[in-house]
Amino acid sequence: METTLKLRGMLLASLASSLWAISGISGEILFKKFNFSSDWLVSTRTLVSGILLFMIVVFVEKKSVLKPLKNKRDCIGIILFGVAGMYLVQYTYFKTIELSNVSFATILQFTAPFFIFVYESMKNKKFPSVSTVALLFMTILGVVFIATKGNFSNLSVSLEALLFGLVSAIMIAFYSTYPKRLLKKYGSITVVGWGMIVASVISNIIHPIWKIQGEINAKSIIQVIIVVILGTSIAYLIYIASLNYISSSLAGILTAFEPVLAAVLSVVIFGLKFSIIELIGFVLVFVSIFILEKRL
């Protein structure tokens, strides 16, 4: 019975990471084939997902979504989480895809544990061991290999794409560490729902949802649905469900399916080709991050 439940959790976590990867591919299709902008996509994604998550809290969990607003400290925390942990995470991720490709954006976001480890070391004023420093160096080297394809005098992507991708990883690190107290107090769906709503307010001020930039047809609408519903609300809920059966560390490891699947789909759909140096970079990042996650 226990083995069956663990397998169920592993399948759910893997499915969630697969949906995130597919969402990234759909985002790239919208940018490259239908000329949509990352600004509009984030505005739509956050608003629709926030509303859907609130509906689950009210009608399924039968809880009040207004409870976090009654505490000044928690309200400020929700706003900060919405700005940095939701808006900036999604905007920088999709902007990186828009400027480069989903495979590059996803592997950079996957390096978030690197920044978590650096933060924890600084916070605890504890210098990492020699082996940990070697792992951190492996992560950096892997990213350099991917970003330069071995030509160290020139980036294979724009500097802007690299910077947005690194900011995305840093924001994922923030997303993973900051809201723990809020999640424990109010529940993940409520906190993330509010985060999405705060993010949607910011993103819609910058680029209102009704100002659509892109080619509207049946094919592009399907891609928007994949990004907004499958790749956000449903993927998140499936991931949360997996935590009922497996540990968060195991679920985190299984999210490695996202960059792997994103890379495979990039080859199949966009004909993207990886050099030997890039593949070595992928391996360096995967191995170092897996080991670092176990030390967090």
Side-chain angles (χ1 to χ4, degrees), residues 37 39-44 47 200-213:
S37 68
D39 301 89
W40 180 84
L41 191 59
V42 172
S43 294
T44 306
L47 180 60
S200 73
V201 171
I202 297 169
S203 56
N204 274 280
I205 289 173
I206 295 171
H207 191 116
I209 192 173
W210 57 87
K211 290 186 177 180
I212 302 174
Q213 291 179 340

Side-chain angles (χ1 to χ4, degrees), residues 5-199:
L5 293 176
K6 185 176 181 180
L7 179 61
R8 182 185 299 176
M10 291 173 68
L11 288 173
L12 287 170
S14 300
L15 177 58
S17 61
S18 298
L19 288 175
W20 283 323
I22 293 169
S23 170
I25 290 291
S26 292
E28 185 167 352
I29 290 172
L30 288 169
F31 302 146
K32 304 291 171 64
K33 293 188 177 181
F34 298 107
N35 300 313
F36 281 81
S37 68
S38 55
D39 301 89
W40 180 84
L41 191 59
V42 172
S43 294
T44 306
R45 189 187 201 211
T46 51
L47 180 60
V48 174
S49 296
I51 292 171
L52 287 174
L53 290 174
F54 271 6
M55 288 175 67
I56 291 171
V57 173
V58 174
F59 296 108
V60 178
E61 294 188 340
K62 298 189 183 302
K63 295 179 181 178
S64 171
V65 295
L66 300 178
K67 194 173 180 181
L69 303 185
K70 297 177 181 178
N71 182 297
K72 185 178 179 181
R73 180 190 175 194
D74 293 344
C75 185
I76 293 172
I78 287 286
I79 293 172
L80 182 58
F81 174 65
V83 174
M86 277 295 168
Y87 172 70
L88 286 178
V89 164
Q90 297 190 60
Y91 174 70
T92 53
Y93 172 65
F94 280 107
K95 191 66 177 179
T96 307
I97 294 175
E98 187 178 7
L99 294 170
S100 56
N101 57 70
V102 66
S103 181
F104 181 75
T106 307
I107 193 64
L108 276 189
Q109 202 173 63
F110 186 67
T111 63
F114 169 91
F115 295 101
I116 295 174
F117 203 96
V118 171
Y119 167 75
E120 291 292 342
S121 297
M122 293 174 63
K123 179 183 176 183
N124 298 323
K125 297 180 180 178
K126 184 179 179 182
F127 194 79
S129 64
V130 174
S131 62
T132 300
V133 171
L135 290 169
L136 295 172
F137 177 75
M138 278 176 62
T139 306
I140 295 172
L141 188 62
V143 170
V144 170
F145 279 178
I146 295 166
T148 63
K149 294 186 178 181
N151 182 6
F152 301 112
S153 63
N154 190 33
L155 290 173
S156 62
V157 295
S158 68
L159 179 60
E160 190 179 9
L162 178 61
L163 292 176
F164 270 112
L166 291 174
V167 172
S168 175
I170 294 170
M171 291 301 102
I172 281 285
F174 175 85
Y175 172 96
S176 303
T177 55
Y178 176 76
K180 290 181 178 179
R181 183 185 62 84
L182 293 170
L183 293 172
K184 188 176 181 180
K185 187 173 182 180
Y186 299 108
S188 56
I189 299 178
T190 298
V191 173
V192 174
W194 269 115
M196 288 286 187
I197 293 298
V198 171

